[in-house]
Amino acid sequence: MLEKLSKGFEQYVDILSHMRGEYFNILDRLSTGDVYHLERSIDRFESSRELRELQDQFLDMYSDY
C-alpha cells in the first residue's frame, strides 16, 4: 500500500488538492428517500459493529474465566 502511494505521490497530491476545492452539493442531489435509506444503512452497520464488539468482549471474558 505504501509503495503505491510513494510511486504516485505527486498525482495523489494533485487529485486531493483539486477535490479539496470541489463541493459535491450532495444534499441537493439526494432525495428524502435516499437520505432515509442512507441513515438506515448506517444504523444497521453501527448495530452490527456494536454486536461484534460485544461478542468479542464476551469471548475475552469467557477465555479469562
Side-chain angles (χ1 to χ4, degrees):
M1 173 79 178
L2 293 178
E3 182 179 349
K4 286 182 181 180
L5 284 173
S6 67
K7 285 184 178 180
F9 187 73
E10 292 81 17
Q11 185 178 13
Y12 287 115
V13 170
D14 290 342
I15 291 169
L16 291 174
S17 295
H18 174 74
M19 296 306 293
R20 178 182 60 200
E22 293 294 314
Y23 176 66
F24 295 115
N25 296 326
I26 193 158
L27 293 179
D28 296 337
R29 294 180 184 202
L30 295 176
S31 70
T32 305
D34 291 333
V35 172
Y36 171 78
H37 289 293
L38 180 60
E39 289 174 345
R40 295 267 302 155
S41 66
I42 291 170
D43 289 343
R44 280 193 306 269
F45 175 78
E46 183 65 22
S47 294
S48 168
R49 187 183 63 79
E50 289 173 357
L51 178 59
R52 283 192 307 271
E53 286 179 7
L54 288 172
Q55 289 170 334
D56 287 344
Q57 288 175 5
F58 170 77
L59 291 173
D60 288 343
M61 290 169 51
Y62 185 74
S63 177
D64 290 342
Y65 173 72

